[in-house]
Amino acid sequence: MMGLMMDRPLLTTEILKHAVRNYRNTEIVTRTVEGPIHRYTIGDSAKRIAKLANALKAMGVTPGDRIGVMGMNTYRQFEMYYAVGGISAVLHTINPRLGPDNAAFVINHAENDYLFYDTVFAPLVAALQPKLETVKQYIALTDADHADDAVSGALTYEELIADHSDIVEWPEFDENTAVAMCYTSGTTGDPKGVVYSHRALVLQSFAACLPTAMSMVEGDTFLPVVPMFHVNAWNTPYSCLMIGVNQVFPGPRLDGEGLYEMLDQEKVTFSAGVPTVWLGLLDYLEKTGKKLPHLKKGLCGGAALPEALIRGFEKYDVELQQGWGMTEMSPIGTVNVLPPHLKALPIDERIPHQLKAGRALPFVDMRLVDSVGHILACDGECEGHLQVRGPWIVKEYYKATEPTLTADDWFDTGDVAIIDPDGYLQITDRAKDVIKTGGEWVSSIDIENAAMLHEGVAQAGVIGVPHPVWQERPLLVIVKRAGYDPTAEEIQEFLKTRLHKMAWPDAIEFVKNIPVGATGKILKTELRKQFKDYELPG
Amino acid sequence: MMGLMMDRPLLTTEILKHAVRNYRNTEIVTRTVEGPIHRYTIGDSAKRIAKLANALKAMGVTPGDRIGVMGMNTYRQFEMYYAVGGISAVLHTINPRLGPDNAAFVINHAENDYLFYDTVFAPLVAALQPKLETVKQYIALTDADHADDAVSGALTYEELIADHSDIVEWPEFDENTAVAMCYTSGTTGDPKGVVYSHRALVLQSFAACLPTAMSMVEGDTFLPVVPMFHVNAWNTPYSCLMIGVNQVFPGPRLDGEGLYEMLDQEKVTFSAGVPTVWLGLLDYLEKTGKKLPHLKKGLCGGAALPEALIRGFEKYDVELQQGWGMTEMSPIGTVNVLPPHLKALPIDERIPHQLKAGRALPFVDMRLVDSVGHILACDGECEGHLQVRGPWIVKEYYKATEPTLTADDWFDTGDVAIIDPDGYLQITDRAKDVIKTGGEWVSSIDIENAAMLHEGVAQAGVIGVPHPVWQERPLLVIVKRAGYDPTAEEIQEFLKTRLHKMAWPDAIEFVKNIPVGATGKILKTELRKQFKDYELPG
């Protein structure tokens, strides 16, 4: 027997309409690429979103067209999020740090007819132009006064929308229609495209706004350091509108000082970014003695949240919450919001809980399987391959030539993890980065996290190196913190009290820098190349 | 172009699974119909829910079967919510206050094969038995020791589930499948059945858990006074499990003292009920001098929240939030959670905002239309018929013989309302209760609310009485508060400073009590009968 409820589709435009009705004066502030601060309200933005939607239709954009954008976090890219999806076209957010070959690949693979770009990326776009097979029109995210001629034949965004009506009747269509796409910055092989549906992003927005997830409230002011070109800035352009949160877009200045200025001036209460960004901000605060009295909380994802960072920000009354997700998961899978009984614990008892990746959002199923596919217990001890399923998780990569899911329709995350009986996920490693030594698995991340606790360590990367007896043994690669000069022996001693014996690295090497990928994660593949012929002592 | 996300259905069992994984130790406490306090966890409840699901299947329940339940708020009815829907049968919650004729009508109309009931309703069920055409089996919500033989051939719930496994593999099916149904306690005509889908209740659960809606958080303890037989206790059996909120079921004791005991002993932080219930509790607190230091917030719906109640509870540090909804809306449409800038206002400036019904949940569309169907502005001034649409709003009554919706697929709520530019809804009256006087609409509710501010008034009801010149004029009917003896002249004087002149009642009558319906609302139809031949003075 079927229910007798209205068949109303879950479209992202409904989030915009909800915000206009209820939060029209909520602010959106941008440090523009051009320089000045731009400031408007949700009510203002809706009018420009309508103008853009009308301009796109006038330009010939039809449902299903993929529109590329390579931009900073600004109000213009925010407008594109709603306008493009709203007319049932598909916004392809492109990571400018993919490198020219990959960038050309994804634009051609997605068959983008239009490419919007911030002027800071004009040289990159100009270099790409000869390789791009489908782009009919380039549009710089600026106005005529700030146009440059690096990209041949480019229009500007402001000219494009200027003469169009600020009223639009949003169409209604199937909620499973594509709204956006993003390619994974895979470390091997070609990037793979993930195509988000309206339904998936709406459902994730609901889940992200739960008090057990992002835990923002109306009236908060949110600054996304996580880029809008990287999995929808963790969904925040949608979730902020769902509950009336002010947004501050940092534009091109993502260094410690640049972020501090926006966080401070705009009284930001909540932010989100990868550990590297938080580390840069913490360094800036420590160095300058400045404070951020308005900032209450931050979401940290993309890589494990180091203990030193939690403790560091706690001194400034900022609570860092760990989250975990993937491009393939729209991206949020888990968030670590401690319940009152854990939050009340003394810091040393509380931190082990905060170091976990958190609990799954409703409708995200997680399971652990061993190497032969047996399902393992979520008992806080069994370690296995993490597989997931849920309404905002990928079913199939764009133009996939092989199955994306397991035979029984779960997505294998490529992570190795433990789940405890209270549902807390702990990512122990990437499956391919686990060090397999003497029949056991040693987590490279555990060693990195322990090393990061040493005050002399700025960055730490661990890879497995072949060993005649143990198959593999860990090599720890370190970037020293400015002003410190730790020795290998000191670090070894430091680690001995923090790691079980199997995990003590066999060797430590110091380097000037460790390569990181487009999303700020350490590139283990590059580290492995660099230490390809490394011979362990003894 | 379609998105490439997994096709995972939104089923209520996923909420249960989420709760078991993440909140297994969260408590569910019941004051049982039998007397003692029953106490268990979500983990325990899931096992009994599985036993019940297995028992139902063994008894022959198949997908689509409608299972009736006439019960108090207890853990057993809570278990039925998840078990019945989980096997894709449909839980028909029956309001025992419908009266015997209507109760028989709805059970027959829904074609219930099974009827579960609390033993307090055994005499009612026994009296219904001869009229029930489809019920094959009666099951008392108790154990063998507390069975009585009023209902012939009845089993007990505990005997039914005793021998079944506490493990079940929940089936997966279309999210639009029916999960529950509830009949409106309409004041005219036969009750009408509303059939909820899994999708509708899951989406409403997400929306209800937003910080802009119920505003509960993990670790809160919630006591639903609103009955589980009345539109799913405002969705709370689902929303509490979505975010890890403890539940306290008050069973049969809903008077001021009975509620106080449970609120106090169980350190309840959040409750929900109709104004009458809150009034009873406030009277009890005032009379006894007792306090409720743990109670922070309450949701008040079902009828307009009187100002006196907001002010009364504010003295006890309890914030009453107004909500508005309907059986046809699953039921939540709006909740009034004040944003920080309004919350910070001094009480006299804040109260006018709190007296509104709040802002719509995301995906609830509201519009105002005039008597000829023109759409009116949401400008805080235009008053019109309130129409709604959204994914948890009725499309068609069960076995409807005429269209449920307007020609363009909106549901007409039967309410008259104003919506302000910030999205706040203000229900001014039921369309049929509006007093049409000299070409103007006067809200009967406005007059009632103003009268309720007088300390000598316990209850107030207003109806329109025919008038030779003005078509209709208001008659105010009052129940005096115990210990007070106001005169009609005093009340008239009191109202003159609070209402515009058109709304001053032409007459005031004092009565011993005012008839209320199954859900605690004043029965204007009864009041009209009582004053059928009333002649206004002059």
Side-chain angles (χ1 to χ4, degrees):
Chain A
M1 178 169 156
M2 302 311 273
L4 294 171
M5 299 277 111
M6 289 186 187
D7 304 311
R8 301 288 307 155
L10 304 177
L11 302 180
T12 55
T13 30
E14 291 299 321
I15 299 177
L16 177 65
K17 289 186 207 166
H18 171 74
V20 171
R21 280 191 302 257
N22 296 320
Y23 317 120
R24 66 196 164 113
N25 295 320
T26 294
E27 274 203 318
I28 299 173
V29 178
T30 301
R31 187 204 288 262
T32 62
V33 172
E34 296 88 346
I37 300 296
H38 176 273
R39 194 178 290 275
Y40 70 172
T41 64
I42 286 180
D44 301 329
S45 81
K47 290 183 184 162
R48 285 176 46 93
I49 290 167
K51 286 168 82 80
L52 175 58
N54 288 324
L56 291 171
K57 286 190 288 185
M59 194 163 64
V61 173
T62 58
D65 284 357
R66 278 82 64 202
I67 295 181
V69 58
M70 191 187 278
M72 291 294 181
N73 290 8
T74 69
Y75 67 103
R76 290 194 185 104
Q77 187 165 186
F78 169 80
E79 290 163 3
M80 292 192 73
Y81 267 55
Y82 284 96
V84 172
I87 58 167
S88 81
V90 186
L91 187 68
H92 172 207
T93 53
I94 304 158
N95 189 333
R97 301 183 206 131
L98 282 173
D101 288 348
N102 278 336
F105 172 85
V106 302
I107 296 166
N108 288 329
H109 191 261
E111 299 168 75
N112 294 147
D113 293 323
Y114 302 92
L115 183 61
F116 291 71
Y117 61 94
D118 260 320
T119 49
V120 289
F121 303 123
L124 173 58
V125 172
L128 288 175
Q129 259 186 314
K131 299 183 201 167
L132 301 183
E133 297 155 9
T134 57
V135 178
K136 295 186 295 198
Q137 182 64 57
Y138 295 83
I139 300 110
L141 290 162
T142 189
D143 54 30
D145 291 346
H146 295 86
D148 77 29
D149 51 10
V151 177
S152 78
L155 288 178
T156 70
Y157 183 94
E158 295 302 328
E159 290 169 295
L160 180 72
I161 71 170
D163 297 332
H164 290 277
S165 164
D166 63 6
I167 295 171
V168 66
E169 190 68 37
W170 294 111
E172 289 194 356
F173 43 83
D174 187 330
E175 67 190 30
N176 292 302
T177 303
V179 59
M181 60 193 303
C182 185
Y183 283 75
T184 58
S185 49
T187 46
T188 54
D190 285 329
K192 297 190 192 101
V194 180
V195 184
Y196 307 111
S197 65
H198 282 263
R199 171 182 164 98
L201 299 196
V202 166
L203 289 174
Q204 176 160 104
S205 302
F206 269 122
C209 288
L210 294 177
T212 44
M214 290 284 279
S215 74
M216 293 192 291
V217 296
E218 184 178 357
D220 265 338
T221 299
F222 175 74
L223 184 150
V225 190
V226 51
M228 289 174 127
F229 57 70
H230 177 51
V231 217
N232 312 323
W234 299 347
N235 191 268
T236 56
Y238 302 109
S239 37
C240 286
L241 259 60
M242 197 170 242
I243 55 171
V245 169
N246 303 289
Q247 290 174 91
V248 176
F249 295 123
R253 288 281 315 275
L254 301 176
D255 58 297
E257 184 184 47
L259 283 180
Y260 174 84
E261 281 178 18
M262 290 303 279
L263 292 167
D264 181 52
Q265 285 165 23
E266 298 300 329
K267 300 188 170 62
V268 170
T269 58
F270 205 107
S271 188
V274 295
T276 321
V277 162
W278 287 104
L279 207 57
L281 181 63
L282 183 60
D283 273 351
Y284 179 80
L285 294 177
E286 304 266 280
K287 212 167 55 195
T288 58
K290 291 178 179 170
K291 300 213 183 314
L292 286 168
H294 300 285
L295 191 63
K296 297 179 305 190
K297 285 187 185 182
L299 184 66
C300 187
L305 169 58
E307 180 171 344
L309 215 41
I310 299 176
R311 290 184 184 269
F313 273 102
E314 193 140 314
K315 285 188 284 179
Y316 295 89
D317 288 324
V318 177
E319 183 189 343
L320 287 192
Q321 292 171 348
Q322 186 156 195
W324 169 81
M326 299 182 75
T327 305
E328 288 88 343
M329 298 176 74
S330 298
I332 312 177
T334 67
V335 181
N336 193 346
V337 174
L338 293 184
H341 72 279
L342 295 182
K343 204 159 177 172
L345 293 175
I347 179 163
D348 290 335
E349 289 171 53
R350 172 166 41 82
I351 287 224
H353 298 282
Q354 288 178 274
L355 287 173
K356 297 184 177 179
R359 291 173 293 178
L361 301 190
F363 289 83
V364 172
D365 272 354
M366 306 191 296
R367 72 178 185 187
L368 301 175
V369 300
D370 67 13
S371 302
V372 292
H374 291 135
I375 294 170
L376 303 173
C378 295
D379 59 2
E381 295 184 3
C382 289
E383 192 172 4
H385 297 275
L386 176 62
Q387 300 184 340
V388 293
R389 64 177 185 183
W392 52 81
I393 296 169
V394 67
K395 171 169 71 178
E396 194 177 286
Y397 290 114
Y398 188 54
K399 300 180 186 171
T401 52
E402 52 190 46
T404 302
L405 305 184
T406 65
D408 59 348
D409 288 334
W410 290 68
F411 176 72
D412 193 296
T413 63
D415 281 325
V416 173
I418 295 169
I419 299 173
D420 74 21
D422 293 313
Y424 285 84
L425 173 71
Q426 196 181 347
I427 303 288
T428 55
D429 215 338
R430 291 293 295 167
K432 61 184 188 311
D433 295 338
V434 160
I435 294 151
K436 296 180 181 78
T437 180
E440 276 192 48
W441 286 1
V442 165
S443 158
S444 62
I445 292 174
D446 277 356
I447 307 173
E448 288 161 9
N449 283 344
M452 289 291 286
L453 288 175
H454 191 285
E455 60 172 6
V457 174
Q459 244 186 317
V462 169
I463 53 172
V465 176
H467 187 283
V469 178
W470 297 99
Q471 291 96 54
E472 282 188 332
R473 288 297 301 155
L475 163 67
L476 167 60
V477 183
I478 283 173
V479 179
K480 293 178 188 172
R481 187 172 220 138
Y484 291 85
D485 191 20
T487 65
E489 291 67 33
E490 267 173 56
I491 305 268
Q492 290 282 21
E493 281 310 308
F494 181 82
L495 294 178
K496 282 183 180 169
T497 61
R498 285 165 175 85
L499 294 170
H500 65 92
K501 202 173 169 193
M502 284 300 281
W504 296 352
D506 279 29
I508 295 179
E509 291 290 331
F510 295 97
V511 295
K512 283 266 177 288
N513 57 66
I514 291 179
V516 293
T519 58
K521 289 184 206 178
I522 290 175
L523 286 178
K524 297 276 175 101
T525 43
E526 291 301 313
L527 215 54
R528 283 196 197 95
K529 275 187 210 157
Q530 203 173 325
F531 290 93
K532 192 160 62 82
D533 302 316
Y534 191 79
E535 287 195 24
L536 292 168
Chain B
M1 180 170 155
M2 302 311 273
L4 294 170
M5 298 278 112
M6 289 186 187
D7 305 311
R8 300 289 308 155
L10 304 177
L11 302 180
T12 55
T13 31
E14 291 299 320
I15 299 177
L16 177 65
K17 289 186 207 167
H18 172 74
V20 171
R21 282 191 301 257
N22 296 322
Y23 317 119
R24 67 198 163 113
N25 294 320
T26 294
E27 273 203 317
I28 299 174
V29 178
T30 302
R31 187 204 289 260
T32 61
V33 172
E34 297 88 345
I37 300 295
H38 177 274
R39 194 179 289 278
Y40 71 172
T41 64
I42 286 180
D44 302 329
S45 81
K47 289 183 185 164
R48 284 175 49 93
I49 290 167
K51 286 168 82 79
L52 175 58
N54 289 324
L56 292 171
K57 287 190 287 184
M59 196 163 64
V61 173
T62 57
D65 285 356
R66 278 82 64 203
I67 295 180
V69 59
M70 190 187 279
M72 291 296 182
N73 289 9
T74 69
Y75 67 104
R76 289 194 185 103
Q77 187 165 188
F78 169 79
E79 290 163 5
M80 292 191 72
Y81 267 56
Y82 284 96
V84 173
I87 59 168
S88 81
V90 186
L91 188 68
H92 171 206
T93 53
I94 303 159
N95 189 334
R97 301 184 206 130
L98 282 175
D101 287 349
N102 278 337
F105 172 85
V106 303
I107 296 167
N108 288 330
H109 191 261
E111 299 169 77
N112 294 147
D113 294 322
Y114 303 92
L115 182 61
F116 290 71
Y117 63 94
D118 259 320
T119 51
V120 290
F121 302 124
L124 173 59
V125 172
L128 289 175
Q129 258 186 316
K131 300 183 200 164
L132 301 184
E133 297 155 8
T134 57
V135 178
K136 294 184 297 196
Q137 180 66 58
Y138 294 83
I139 300 111
L141 291 161
T142 190
D143 55 29
D145 292 347
H146 295 86
D148 76 30
D149 51 11
V151 179
S152 77
L155 288 177
T156 70
Y157 184 93
E158 294 303 326
E159 289 169 295
L160 180 73
I161 71 170
D163 297 332
H164 291 277
S165 165
D166 64 7
I167 296 171
V168 66
E169 190 70 37
W170 295 110
E172 289 193 355
F173 42 85
D174 187 329
E175 68 191 29
N176 292 304
T177 303
V179 60
M181 61 194 301
C182 186
Y183 282 75
T184 57
S185 48
T187 46
T188 53
D190 286 327
K192 297 190 193 103
V194 180
V195 184
Y196 308 110
S197 65
H198 282 264
R199 171 180 163 101
L201 299 196
V202 166
L203 290 174
Q204 175 161 102
S205 303
F206 270 121
C209 288
L210 294 177
T212 44
M214 291 283 280
S215 74
M216 294 192 290
V217 296
E218 183 178 358
D220 265 338
T221 298
F222 175 74
L223 185 149
V225 190
V226 52
M228 289 174 126
F229 57 71
H230 179 51
V231 219
N232 313 323
W234 299 347
N235 192 268
T236 55
Y238 302 109
S239 37
C240 287
L241 259 60
M242 196 169 242
I243 55 170
V245 169
N246 303 287
Q247 290 175 91
V248 176
F249 294 123
R253 288 283 312 277
L254 301 175
D255 57 297
E257 184 183 47
L259 283 180
Y260 174 82
E261 282 177 19
M262 290 303 279
L263 292 167
D264 181 54
Q265 285 165 25
E266 298 300 329
K267 301 188 168 64
V268 169
T269 58
F270 205 108
S271 189
V274 294
T276 321
V277 161
W278 287 104
L279 208 56
L281 181 63
L282 183 61
D283 273 350
Y284 180 81
L285 294 177
E286 305 266 277
K287 212 167 56 193
T288 59
K290 290 178 178 170
K291 299 214 183 314
L292 286 169
H294 300 284
L295 191 64
K296 296 180 304 189
K297 285 187 184 180
L299 185 65
C300 189
L305 170 58
E307 179 171 343
L309 216 42
I310 299 177
R311 289 185 183 269
F313 273 102
E314 192 139 316
K315 286 188 282 178
Y316 295 90
D317 288 324
V318 178
E319 184 190 343
L320 286 193
Q321 292 170 348
Q322 186 155 195
W324 169 82
M326 299 182 77
T327 305
E328 289 88 342
M329 298 176 74
S330 300
I332 312 176
T334 66
V335 181
N336 193 344
V337 174
L338 293 184
H341 71 278
L342 295 183
K343 205 161 176 170
L345 292 175
I347 179 161
D348 290 334
E349 288 171 54
R350 172 165 40 83
I351 288 226
H353 298 283
Q354 288 178 276
L355 287 173
K356 297 185 177 180
R359 293 172 292 177
L361 301 190
F363 289 85
V364 171
D365 271 355
M366 306 191 296
R367 72 177 185 189
L368 301 176
V369 300
D370 68 14
S371 302
V372 292
H374 291 138
I375 293 171
L376 303 173
C378 295
D379 58 3
E381 295 184 5
C382 288
E383 192 173 3
H385 296 276
L386 176 62
Q387 301 184 339
V388 293
R389 64 178 185 182
W392 52 82
I393 295 169
V394 68
K395 172 171 69 179
E396 193 178 286
Y397 291 114
Y398 188 52
K399 300 181 186 170
T401 52
E402 53 190 47
T404 302
L405 305 184
T406 65
D408 60 347
D409 288 334
W410 289 69
F411 176 72
D412 192 296
T413 63
D415 282 324
V416 173
I418 295 169
I419 300 173
D420 76 21
D422 294 312
Y424 285 83
L425 173 71
Q426 196 179 348
I427 302 289
T428 55
D429 214 338
R430 292 293 294 166
K432 62 186 185 313
D433 295 338
V434 160
I435 294 152
K436 296 180 181 78
T437 180
E440 276 193 48
W441 287 1
V442 165
S443 159
S444 62
I445 292 175
D446 277 356
I447 307 173
E448 290 161 10
N449 283 345
M452 289 289 287
L453 288 175
H454 190 285
E455 60 173 6
V457 174
Q459 245 184 314
V462 169
I463 54 171
V465 176
H467 187 284
V469 177
W470 298 98
Q471 293 94 52
E472 281 189 332
R473 288 296 303 153
L475 162 67
L476 167 59
V477 183
I478 283 173
V479 178
K480 293 177 187 172
R481 186 172 222 139
Y484 291 85
D485 191 21
T487 65
E489 290 67 31
E490 268 172 55
I491 307 266
Q492 290 281 23
E493 281 310 308
F494 182 83
L495 294 178
K496 284 184 179 167
T497 59
R498 286 167 175 82
L499 294 170
H500 64 93
K501 199 171 174 197
M502 284 299 282
W504 297 351
D506 280 28
I508 296 180
E509 291 291 329
F510 294 97
V511 295
K512 283 266 175 290
N513 56 65
I514 291 180
V516 294
T519 58
K521 287 184 207 177
I522 290 176
L523 286 179
K524 297 274 174 101
T525 42
E526 291 300 314
L527 216 53
R528 283 195 198 94
K529 275 187 211 158
Q530 204 173 324
F531 291 93
K532 192 159 61 84
D533 302 317
Y534 190 80
E535 287 194 27
L536 291 168

